[in-house]
Amino acid sequence: MKRPGFFDVQSHSLRPLWLRLLIVALVCAWAISEVLREAWAWAALSGAAAIYLIHQLLIAFDPGPPPGED
């Protein structure tokens, strides 16, 4: 069994779409709040995290077969 890495966002625990949307929304809200506070370094960091999560959780995510199916 493959051991998941630290940034493994392709986990089966993230299968529900509502959970992936919630994670992306929270990180995007964090990025926006940093821009509004003019904390540019944190805004860049959280913006990069938001872009990465949008790609990994909404575009490239492969939920695979439903649990219990082979």
Side-chain angles (χ1 to χ4, degrees), residues 23-36:
I23 292 169
V24 168
L26 289 173
V27 176
C28 286
W30 176 33
I32 291 168
S33 72
E34 296 298 347
V35 168
L36 294 176

